[in-house]
Amino acid sequence: MAIHADNAHGYKDFLSNPNQWLRQNRPGLFAVSPILGTGFSITADAFDAVLLYGWADNLTAADLMQFLDRYRLNVPRYIWVEETNHQYNQLTPDACFKARLAKAKASRLDDEWRWIDPGDPYFHYQAEKNWSLAHLRADLLARLERDTKTVNYELCQLPADEVKDIIAGSLLSVASLKSMMQPSQPKPITSP
């Protein structure tokens, strides 16, 4: 069962009262897109684990940390996150400002560029977001190490044909996900 932006209207009961809905429907596997925002809370004992399958497209490491915590129970969280998508190169506030200025000067609005303030906090926010997306896996791992008590991690080497399928947009099968989650000498990281 999957809930995403295109079909969320059909799951109003889940979105308004997720705990009751989960107790009544008891899905074996349940996938949601980032439609579950900050403050959305699931406390019903419905799942044995949380899986995060993340792409470096629009959710930063901080966003993924929030998304991982929508299911509040203490269960293992298995995470696969793309390292980067190599599309984010404006990593400083100055680079973001210059890109916006160039866009404004190229537009047909004659004086738009005069109103762009290089000190606008938006450029700092955008640079931080771009940096996280450009280094998504590293940023998420650093946040996990800093913000959680224990992180067990292992480098997952998928066969080249599976990587090509993933990049082409195909979904991993449940069997593939389960095989990726089998522990083999995890390296514990304990933070204070």
Side-chain angles (χ1 to χ4, degrees), residues 10-82:
Y11 292 95
K12 290 179 182 172
D13 291 342
F14 168 76
L15 295 171
S16 64
N17 191 340
N19 296 318
Q20 180 179 345
W21 188 91
L22 288 168
R23 283 187 202 102
Q24 291 172 346
N25 293 283
R26 313 273 317 148
L29 182 63
F30 189 62
V32 292
S33 72
I35 61 167
L36 306 182
T38 302
F40 193 88
S41 182
I42 300 172
T43 58
D45 186 8
F47 303 107
D48 298 326
V50 172
L51 306 172
L52 174 71
Y53 186 68
W55 292 96
D57 55 3
N58 65 346
L59 294 178
T60 65
D63 296 331
L64 293 176
M65 290 287 289
Q66 284 285 326
F67 194 64
L68 275 169
D69 203 30
R70 298 308 92 213
Y71 189 66
R72 306 291 188 183
L73 277 63
N74 186 17
V75 297
R77 270 122 169 106
Y78 298 97
I79 302 167
W80 184 92
V81 174
E82 182 182 36

Side-chain angles (χ1 to χ4, degrees), residues 75-129:
V75 297
R77 270 122 169 106
Y78 298 97
I79 302 167
W80 184 92
V81 174
E82 182 182 36
E83 183 176 354
T84 182
N85 67 6
H86 305 288
Q87 292 181 3
Y88 296 93
N89 54 8
Q90 296 162 2
L91 304 180
T92 66
D94 187 55
C96 292
F97 165 72
K98 287 178 180 177
R100 179 64 186 99
L101 186 62
K103 186 176 179 180
K105 285 184 175 182
S107 79
R108 295 178 188 240
L109 299 174
D110 294 330
D111 291 336
E112 179 186 7
W113 66 272
R114 295 179 193 270
W115 301 101
I116 299 173
D117 177 8
D120 188 333
Y122 171 78
F123 297 121
H124 292 273
Y125 163 78
Q126 192 61 47
E128 285 181 21
K129 179 178 179 182

